[in-house]
Amino acid sequence: MLAGFAAISAEPKRIYIANDDHTDFMWSADADTYANAFIGMIDFHLKLADVTATNPPAFRNRFNCDGSYWLWTYEQKKSPAEFARLIERVKDGTISAPLNTLVSCYGGQPAEAVLRGMYYPGRLERRCNLRFPLVAAMENQTLPLGLASLFAGAGAEYSWRGVCGCASKINNKVLGERPREIYWWTGHDGRRLLLKWYSLGGPGVGGYWEAGSPAAAIRYVDSNADFLKRYRDPKTQEPYNVIGLFGFGGDDLARKTGIAPPPVIPGVPWLQQVVSSPYCDHFFNIAQQESNDRRKIIVSNEKDFFEDFEKLYGSSLGSQSVTYGNEWDLYSASMSETSARAKRAVEKLRSAELLAALVSLKYPRFLTNHFAARDRAFNDLGIFWEHNWTADGPVSRPQRAAWEEMVVSEIEYYVNSIQGEAAIRLGGMIPRPEKANRFFVLNPLGWARTGAADFAYTGSTNIHVCDLTSGKDVSHQIVKLDGARYLRILASDVPSAGYKVFEIQSGPGPAPTDAAASVSGEGSSIFENDAVKLVIERDGAIRSFVDKKRGNPELAATIGDLKLNDFAAKSDDGEPLRVENAGPVSVTVRARSEAGLPHTTAITLYRGSDRVDIRNELNANFSDVRYWAFSFALSEPSLRTEEVGAINLNKLKSNGGDYADTHARYDHITVNHFADFTDGSGKKGVTISNPDLAFARLGNSSITKLDPTTPQLNMLAGGQVDGSWLGIQGQNGNTHFLQRFALRPHGDYDQAAAMKFALEHQNPFVTGAVISEKGGGVYPETHYSLLTVNNPSVLLWAVKAHDDGIEKGLVARLWNMAETNATARIICPSGLAAAHRTTHIETDIEAVPLIETGVMPATFSRQQIQTYRLIMK
């Protein structure tokens, strides 16, 4: 007998078995077939719950959906009365569903996409007076660190995880030897969930349907020496007396439709029983058959297991805060441009939702007609990264690819529609004199900023542009972008989450007209302004990058024959570099080359700015794995990247970093908004803004080894990283890929500055014509700010109308970029009536007393994201 086992043997062991169906959406069949299966399975288990209602509580039927999309589908296709019946069963614990939409790979997702995918259960929480404490990220072998913070911030308390151990580069022996079987999964901010993640082994235990053979799994965890040796309190060395075995349904619909005839359930036709549910090994029968004096088997809704375990062991349980990298997450790069479109749409939400909020405050009905498109789009964000990017199932790759294209189109439709309409409406809410030619410049970010703004314009070039707030003339030029004509101005100090108005006036003005940057040289070109100096090759690679503001250090290097923004080590001469859109605001140099693939690169410098914009366009299809290399002259570098809800130091945990020392995959890290290399001296470095791509290889990292010492980042342009049978082949035939970056040199590393730089690059000013007549506007004539944040390390992440309608107020999400606790004041010049702290899915947690009219205090732990509901006066 194992040490300590006798001490607990007097009390029956409690083993919770949960019939948790695993949805492999679009793997076995199309979306409509899955929708019908969801409805049939829920109906079956609702009926079975009625049949077993008189059983002892432990032996009553329960069923666990693996995504809120089941509830969404049921609500869409059933009557209100039928849906109300389902919700009552959710409330009493008979049916459970997690916050996640479906089973997703999270490594490549923007943080806001993760949150929006959980908005439907947030609406259900408030509408039906319930909460969703469960969340799950299944089957994929890797897991990002910041996801713990996002899930916990959305209100989740518990999560279980099982991996496939298939289509994996991580050895199954490693997966079968996890250091802990259950622990507090904790983010950088200290938020945590109780996570059950067993080692892979036994009859499916540790897998994503570990109760596929319930009786065998019960006997395994009850008696297997290896399991009992691992599954114990690390302090007392006593085996835990509470065990959970979750998941039955498996992958394909054959499993779900029954591989053995079920017992007849009164009132349900036998055929419906066969085609609608996983029936084999009815859990309530198994629970009775396998219970004895030494062990009690309980049919579980999963929450009951966690509550039992937490009550007994939660206070002494250990925690883990590490990232495990990416595996199946990487397969979204097999449709690189489609995935980039999803990422861009999420980013564009900032501008679109601020515009919609400003309009809604004056016209409360504005968003009403957009609710249906919004709900589809947010669910789509929960399923676009669904884990079957492996695309290795019965559904054909073209069918899967077409579905992904449809999903991203629905996301784009919602974002574009609210931004387009709201920009026109806001232009009608700002007053102007009759016949004055004015436009607004909107800043969606939470701090005043200066930069280039582009306004669609077809008028005369004999003009000057006046900033109506300062009364000063501003630099301007005419540019052509993608065949369209724009007026580009240098807009200064545009207010936080607000706008400035500019007027186009006839004739020349006093603003500077000299070029913002100079170009010289032959072959490769020297391109510089007051802040930076570049040497650009004909293929668009940057051979030299000098920081003129800090003593002219050289920041570029050649590593493995690859420079900065280098697509192919073997380059050709390319076409001669071409200068375009040169003027007092900005100058662009364009390269075109066949090196690697036919591609163009446009590099832009701005007046007085150290920002270097890079716009790469690949103009051919490809099937292999491709990268953009960024090589730097930095010694003993540290690389920090935004992963998913976290800023990570890309070193092993044992080396002071955030990567797990074992059980991880190291070849591709996540890069959301930015990556930042800082020299070992801490006195120089470069931030890379990354709007379009998701992953990168650090130095010479491999699947089994992380290389934190080589100052080179290889951004994954696309490809099937694990071979031609995992992911979509040949980029689904796409022949055009937009892949942009921006570079910024810096001295000491400043995390908030790095994120601000990336957000400014990826959230350009939005412009629109001012069309209201004088006196007819409801917003100020020259400038306006909705809110500001007084701590520069606390960044406004999103501001929007509450999901239940503007009458519930505005929602502001903020992220503390500091590595320490922080406080901030959110200041609304128009005044606040009340404020509440909410979950990230907008359900109230507590009221926040105001300091004074229009000022709300906020507190943050390290790297914490907080969400608030603001009631405006």
Side-chain angles (χ1 to χ4, degrees), residues 457-464 476 478 485 487 504-507:
Y457 178 73
T458 58
S460 169
T461 59
N462 184 26
I463 58 171
H464 63 283
H476 76 276
I478 302 298
R485 192 168 180 259
L487 172 64
I504 302 170
Q505 300 174 352
S506 297

Side-chain angles (χ1 to χ4, degrees), residues 263-309:
V264 173
I265 301 171
V268 180
W270 184 85
L271 181 60
Q272 181 180 334
Q273 294 176 43
V274 171
V275 299
S276 303
S277 171
Y279 307 92
C280 308
D281 301 318
H282 279 305
F283 279 49
F284 60 90
N285 286 331
I286 293 292
Q288 294 178 77
Q289 294 164 8
E290 294 295 325
S291 292
N292 55 41
D293 292 341
R294 197 172 51 79
R295 68 188 185 202
K296 182 178 181 181
I297 314 302
I298 301 164
V299 180
S300 174
N301 62 12
E302 299 180 1
K303 178 187 174 186
D304 49 10
F305 159 77
F306 285 113
E307 289 176 334
D308 191 355
F309 189 96

Side-chain angles (χ1 to χ4, degrees), residues 426-695:
L426 179 62
M429 293 177 171
I430 302 171
R432 66 171 177 87
E434 186 178 0
K435 296 184 180 178
N437 190 359
R438 293 181 175 181
F439 62 95
F440 67 81
V441 173
L442 179 102
N443 173 19
L445 303 177
W447 56 92
R449 56 188 276 220
T450 296
D454 295 331
F455 174 62
Y457 178 73
T458 58
S460 169
T461 59
N462 184 26
I463 58 171
H464 63 283
V465 181
C466 181
D467 178 335
L468 295 182
T469 302
S470 67
K472 296 180 179 180
D473 196 42
V474 301
S475 294
H476 76 276
Q477 66 192 80
I478 302 298
V479 298
K480 282 191 175 181
L481 305 172
D482 296 325
R485 192 168 180 259
Y486 292 87
L487 172 64
R488 175 170 289 178
I489 67 167
L490 185 60
S492 300
D493 297 318
V494 182
S496 164
Y499 65 79
K500 251 189 178 186
V501 177
F502 296 82
E503 183 170 295
I504 302 170
Q505 300 174 352
S506 297
T513 57
D514 58 309
S518 65
V519 183
S520 61
E522 296 182 4
S524 59
S525 291
I526 299 171
F527 187 26
E528 63 183 312
N529 63 8
D530 292 341
V532 295
K533 179 179 179 180
L534 311 177
V535 177
I536 305 172
E537 304 281 12
R538 284 192 172 190
D539 63 351
I542 299 172
R543 175 158 50 89
S544 175
F545 179 24
V546 174
D547 181 2
K548 296 171 69 173
K549 288 187 174 181
R550 296 178 182 85
N552 297 313
E554 176 60 70
L555 298 173
T558 300
I559 300 174
D561 293 328
L562 293 166
K563 306 176 183 69
L564 275 181
N565 191 54
D566 207 342
F567 190 68
K570 183 179 180 181
S571 64
D572 64 3
D573 290 337
E575 297 178 359
L577 298 179
R578 187 171 77 247
V579 178
E580 59 186 29
N581 289 331
V585 180
S586 66
V587 178
T588 297
V589 171
R590 181 176 294 275
R592 186 188 179 284
S593 173
E594 301 290 322
L597 285 174
H599 67 275
T600 61
T601 294
I603 299 176
T604 301
L605 296 181
Y606 300 90
R607 175 174 292 275
S609 173
D610 59 2
R611 185 173 115 186
V612 180
D613 280 7
I614 302 170
R615 179 187 175 98
N616 296 317
E617 295 179 79
L618 300 177
N619 298 303
N621 182 254
F622 61 96
S623 298
D624 52 350
V625 179
R626 297 294 186 121
Y627 298 92
W628 292 97
F630 290 83
S631 305
F632 297 100
L634 301 169
S635 60
E636 299 180 356
S638 292
L639 179 74
R640 294 172 177 87
T641 54
E642 181 202 354
E643 192 192 42
V644 183
I647 312 300
N648 289 344
L649 176 59
N650 291 276
K651 297 181 179 180
L652 296 180
K653 191 75 172 178
S654 58
N655 238 6
D658 295 309
Y659 252 86
D661 290 283
T662 64
H663 295 78
R665 182 163 167 174
Y666 304 105
D667 53 335
H668 290 90
I669 62 176
T670 297
V671 183
N672 264 319
H673 283 90
F674 78 89
D676 185 281
F677 270 118
T678 300
D679 189 85
S681 68
K683 298 301 181 184
K684 66 176 182 177
V686 180
T687 303
I688 308 170
S689 171
N690 169 50
D692 304 304
L693 303 179
F695 308 105

Side-chain angles (χ1 to χ4, degrees), residues 145-146 148-150 152-153 186-192 321 645-646 815-816 821 840 860-866:
L145 166 56
S149 298
L150 297 180
T186 309
H188 286 314
D189 57 2
R191 283 177 166 166
R192 64 185 193 177
S321 298
W815 192 345
N816 173 30
N821 296 345
H840 294 327
F860 301 83
S861 59
R862 173 200 179 201
Q863 285 200 33
Q864 187 174 27
I865 303 174
Q866 294 269 34

